[in-house]
């Protein structure tokens, strides 16, 4: 089983969506992403308050002094009932029929809308039986869920909505559409990679133009699974091994520094191999994989940026290194959508964890565009595309000066990506690769399946 992975923070009528937890490093030296929705966010704040209430209703309350074994017994006795009731409650929340939200949408001034927000939820496959029989293994269960998702789940999952969004962009402009995806632990599933490989063209970006897929993830030095001793040694400023008083501590630091230490220091190296596999599938079409490495910092940012070219692209910084020129977003008006939330776009996010992301569709899209949101006075706004986004609840984000508000939103979203790219280097697939040990090969199978 996976973990509860949603990161949503609500104070009054303000919502903070992020991929960040509340541990100390997120306030000091761990790079993440945050988006603040104020004044109720057009109903989005209420949605997440309801989502949190639902999840709390089906959670186990911790009681001090009660043994964990006793709690587990209580949980097992009502597990199947909880599964069915939870799915029903989530379906009612996500189907766009919330009465309070409908009342609020009747008073939406379309001239003030700058974007539409579509919250999504991802739940573990174990919460919903894919068939009447019990799967013999996890792989079988995942296959059945993928093949029968519409029959199995009463609402579209985040991974399905995300893939349909990407397919809609490709339908609009298959040559020039670009997707930029950030993940702390890049491990794209086969279904996601099958769509990412569609971006760009076989000739690549020979002329420096055209769309592509750009994947951003942690480099070995800034990886979240870098060993604790290595992290302490890095953040200790000018502290050297000789500055430690304890001989055992000196040995630990020295061992990790040479890459031979025990623990979880092997995980960044294993992820590097997975990232190379992803890179090999997109570079021939002009795509790139970027590795984030900032001294003393770890990387935990996740999200997606979807762009289609506008009529007049421009360069903001003529001094940008040429090898990064297509990685940056130079025309903020090209931003058509972004996704913020907890998902890492990997196996764990798709199959094991409870996640929530929020898709923002920019308003400045022509009426004939497949990504356009159309609003009915009596219904929830919905995205009209060949690839259905399902009946997810949709919220209009408003600003009195909608033109400047839209431009500002696109600029901030583009700046998020560009700021991350300042600390990246492109993965080089031409370097000779050392043969993998049997242990690392076995570890790769585990990472691909569970992380």
């Amino acid at each position: 089983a996976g973990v509860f992975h949603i990161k949503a923070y609500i104070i009054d009528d303000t919502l903070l969506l992020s991929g960040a937890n509340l541990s100390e490093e997120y306030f000091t030296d761990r790079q993440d992403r945050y988006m603040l929705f104020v004044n109720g966010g057009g109903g989005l704040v209420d949605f997440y308050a309801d989502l949190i209430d639902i999840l709390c209703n089906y959670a186990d309350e911790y009681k001090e002094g009660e043994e964990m074994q006793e709690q587990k017994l209580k949980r097992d006795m009502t597990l199947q009932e909880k599964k069915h009731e939870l799915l029903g409650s989530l379906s009612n929340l996500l189907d766009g029929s919330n009465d309070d939200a409908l009342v609020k949408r009747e008073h939406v001034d379309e001239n003030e809308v700058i974007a539409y927000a579509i919250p999504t939820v991802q739940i573990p496959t174990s919460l919903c039986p894919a068939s009447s029989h019990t799967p013999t293994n996890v792989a079988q269960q995942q296959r059945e869920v993928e093949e029968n998702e519409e029959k199995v789940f009463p609402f579209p999952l985040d991974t399905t909505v995300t893939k349909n969004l990407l397919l809609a962009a490709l339908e609009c402009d298959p040559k020039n559409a670009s997707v930029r995806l950030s993940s702390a632990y890049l491990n794209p599933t086969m279904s996601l990679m099958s769509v990412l490989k569609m971006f760009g063209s076989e000739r690549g970006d020979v002329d420096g133009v055209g769309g592509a897929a750009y994947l951003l993830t942690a480099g070995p030095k800034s990886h979240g699974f870098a060993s604790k001793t290595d992290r302490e040694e890095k953040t200790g400023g000018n502290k050297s091994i000789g500055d430690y008083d304890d001989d055992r501590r000196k040995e630990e630091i020295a061992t990790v520094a040479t890459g031979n230490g025990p623990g979880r220091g092997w995980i960044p190296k294993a992820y590097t191999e997975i990232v190379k596999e992803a890179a090999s599938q997109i570079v021939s079409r002009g795509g790139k994989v970027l590795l984030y490495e900032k001294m003393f910092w770890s990387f935990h940012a996740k999200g997606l940026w979807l762009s289609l070219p506008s009529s007049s692209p421009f360069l903001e910084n003529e001094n940008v290194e040429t090898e990064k020129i297509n990685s940056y977003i130079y025309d903020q008006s090209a931003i058509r959508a972004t996704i913020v939330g907890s998902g890492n776009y990997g196996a764990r996010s798709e199959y094991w964890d409870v996640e929530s992301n929020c898709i923002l569709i920019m308003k400045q899209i022509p009426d004939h565009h497949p990504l356009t949101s159309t609003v009915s006075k009596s219904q929830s706004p919905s995205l009209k595309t060949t690839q259905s986004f399902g009946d997810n609840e949709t919220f209009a984000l408003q600003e009195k000066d909608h033109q400047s508000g839209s431009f500002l939103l696109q600029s901030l979203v583009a700046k998020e990506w560009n700021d991350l790219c300042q600390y990246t280097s492109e993965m080089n697939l031409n370097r000779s690769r050392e043969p993998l040990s049997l242990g690392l090969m076995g570890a790769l199978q585990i990472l691909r399946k569970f992380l």
Side-chain angles (χ1 to χ4, degrees), residues 118-266:
I118 306 174
T120 62
V121 173
Q122 187 77 16
I123 59 175
T125 56
S126 59
L127 279 179
C128 199
S131 63
S132 58
H133 68 280
T134 301
T136 56
N137 55 55
V138 173
Q140 179 187 348
Q141 183 183 43
Q142 293 176 358
R143 259 195 322 271
E144 291 180 352
V145 170
E146 290 173 353
E147 295 171 356
N148 304 288
E149 182 177 308
E150 291 185 2
K151 299 178 182 178
V152 171
F153 293 97
F155 53 86
L157 298 179
D158 167 75
T159 50
T160 299
V161 178
T162 299
K163 284 182 284 188
N164 287 343
L165 174 69
L166 298 179
L167 290 171
L170 288 167
E171 178 186 332
C172 299
D173 192 341
K175 180 181 178 181
N176 296 304
S178 287
V179 58
R180 292 168 171 85
L181 185 150
S182 176
S183 172
Y185 313 110
L186 187 65
N187 180 27
T189 60
M190 291 179 62
S191 57
L192 176 59
M193 184 54 72
S194 67
V195 179
L196 294 177
K197 290 191 298 184
M198 297 180 187
F199 285 83
S201 61
E202 291 296 340
R203 60 189 293 271
D205 57 349
V206 176
D207 301 322
V209 296
Y214 303 96
L215 309 182
L216 171 61
T217 190
K221 294 180 182 178
S222 290
H223 201 281
F225 277 99
S227 64
K228 184 177 180 181
T229 48
D230 184 36
R231 183 73 62 204
E232 290 176 358
E233 193 260 344
K234 285 198 302 180
T235 56
N238 297 322
K239 203 170 190 179
S240 66
I241 294 176
D243 293 326
Y244 290 94
D245 295 327
D246 182 66
D247 290 338
R248 182 177 179 182
R249 187 71 172 135
K250 291 179 184 179
E251 184 179 351
E252 288 178 356
I253 296 293
T255 303
V256 172
T258 60
N260 298 318
R264 60 183 192 174
W266 58 270

Side-chain angles (χ1 to χ4, degrees), residues 331-359:
D331 180 9
Q332 54 259 50
S333 65
I335 294 291
R336 295 296 184 259
T338 189
I339 299 179
V340 62
S342 64
N344 267 306
Y345 306 96
R348 204 183 92 176
S349 292
E350 184 159 343
Y351 300 122
W352 302 102
D353 289 356
V354 177
E355 308 273 14
S356 180
N357 289 328
C358 185
I359 302 173

Side-chain angles (χ1 to χ4, degrees), residues 110 116 367 369 371-376 379-384:
E110 282 303 304
Y116 294 105
D367 291 339
H369 203 287
L371 287 179
T372 300
S373 294
T374 57
V375 183
S376 168
Q379 302 181 40
S380 162
S382 59
L383 292 169
K384 304 298 183 182

Side-chain angles (χ1 to χ4, degrees), residues 59-68 71:
D60 291 311
E61 182 180 359
Y62 172 75
K63 296 180 180 179
E64 187 176 358
E66 187 171 349
E67 295 182 4
M68 293 304 296
Q71 288 186 2

Side-chain angles (χ1 to χ4, degrees), residues 265-309:
W266 58 270
I267 298 181
K269 184 176 181 181
Y271 264 108
T272 298
E273 295 301 319
I274 293 178
V275 172
K276 287 178 181 178
E277 294 172 3
S280 66
Q281 299 187 62
I282 63 172
V283 291
S284 64
R285 301 180 66 86
K288 296 180 180 179
V289 170
L290 308 173
L291 301 179
Y292 179 100
E293 290 194 324
K294 182 179 179 182
M295 187 174 292
F296 306 145
W297 283 64
S298 59
F299 183 78
H300 199 252
K302 67 249 339 195
L304 186 146
W305 293 254
L306 187 62
S307 59
L308 294 167

